[in-house]
Amino acid sequence: MEKRLISLLDTTLRDGEQAPGNAMTPEQKLRLALMLEDAGVHTIETGFPASSSTDFIATQMISSQLKKSSFATFSRALVKDVKIAIDAGGVSDRHLVMLVATGSDLHLKNKRHITREQGLTEIIEAVTYAKDQGLQNVAVGIEDASRGEYDYIESITRTSIKAGANQIILADTTGYATPTSFGDLVRFVRKISGPDIKISTHCHNDLGLGVANALEGLKAGANEIQATLGGIGERAGNTSLEQIVANLYYKGDEYGLYTTARLNKLYKAYITLQDIINLEESRMQPLFGKYVFSTAAGIHQQGILNDPNTYEYVKPQDLDRERQLLVTRHSGKTIIRHLLQENFETHNKDEIDYLYDKFIFNQQSSMCDDLNDFKQKILSELESKSTEEAVL
């Protein structure tokens, strides 16, 4: 089966940065943008130029230094925002201007205080202005699309395309959707838009479904996923970039999809992001967590020492990470045998039992030793025990 290429738009520097504690300087944004480009991310969103001088400068810096990736800017569906975005990023086939449209009656009434008709007029004016300036790539992002009525979603889609937009972004802004409902929405918009319009997903993770919804969107006909490194973003965050890339890497044949983004480049970029925004380290975050490639349980360690495939479907080397075996009170005798053999130490059953009882079985604390530290403990203990026995 021929696989379909999926593009990725990274919004770490815009949507990811909007969350509390995630602010970055233009120089820091540039550093991350270049790392994302090196990882093969197709489009990098630089920020919201009309919102601050910081985002304006970041857009100027990033757009001038990217060599392979395209870049995107965020704007409200207002001519003045589009003008500022163009001033910052220029007019080229590498600049995607993304306009946010109001997609639900809830937002129209209670946030914007405008009618559906006024919302459509905004889209027409902003898209028309962008096209008149020579921009080839104009996207209309439908905010809160997952809670929008289908008739209005259809009106926005048709109006946007007629005005000149060549991309529709469907945003599950509050993490409201399920894979079934989001897939249905994408199929509905794909039927209206036809095959030549790019459809992007922009999902949030409030119910933990950001990745699942985005993947379902791809199956339903979307061409692109918008995501962030580590899934950072408003509230519970966004679709996780690395999890999407990993799913396409490991499950691409099953989905009939692929991406040219490089999984082994993303962890280094994430570590840089952590350092920049002082992001707390997670123990068990998929792919990037501190202990996701670490094993402490004896039965798991026995399997991994015999054949890593027994407990590693996702391979640490695929993410440029390393496997780690840790010794805790849940470890078994296998790890002791392994370490002694590794050091070419001869041993017998009584010695193994003694070391296991002393250092593992009788431990009540939350001890967690790496292998080198633990090896030194047991070798020192054997040496001391041998010396005592010789004296006796």
Side-chain angles (χ1 to χ4, degrees), residues 77-96:
L78 299 174
V79 168
K80 64 179 182 179
D81 280 16
V82 178
K83 184 181 185 304
I84 295 172
I86 292 173
D87 288 343
V91 174
S92 74
D93 59 2
R94 295 175 56 246
H95 185 183
L96 170 67

Side-chain angles (χ1 to χ4, degrees), residues 298-339:
I299 56 174
H300 290 193
Q301 291 178 338
Q302 182 177 6
I304 284 178
L305 288 169
N306 290 337
D307 178 0
N309 289 314
T310 54
Y311 286 99
E312 284 180 358
Y313 172 65
V314 177
K315 307 295 189 290
Q317 61 269 24
D318 290 341
L319 285 104
D320 197 26
R321 300 196 64 184
E322 294 182 358
R323 175 186 309 115
Q324 191 175 21
L325 301 180
L326 300 173
V327 183
T328 74
R329 62 186 179 87
H330 300 292
S331 301
K333 297 176 183 178
T334 297
I335 198 67
I336 297 175
R337 293 192 195 94
H338 168 73
L339 291 173

Side-chain angles (χ1 to χ4, degrees), residues 104 106-107 143-150 170-183 185 202-210 213 235-237:
S104 68
L106 175 64
H107 276 219
E143 185 181 21
D144 207 29
S146 52
R147 292 194 292 181
E149 297 293 334
Y150 270 27
L170 296 173
D172 181 29
T173 305
T174 62
Y176 166 85
T178 63
T180 299
S181 67
F182 196 71
L185 176 63
H202 183 103
C203 298
H204 282 260
N205 206 36
D206 298 71
L207 288 176
L209 295 173
N213 287 341
R235 302 179 313 279

Side-chain angles (χ1 to χ4, degrees), residues 226-238:
Q226 299 191 356
T228 62
L229 268 175
I232 68 168
E234 293 279 4
R235 302 179 313 279
N238 291 49

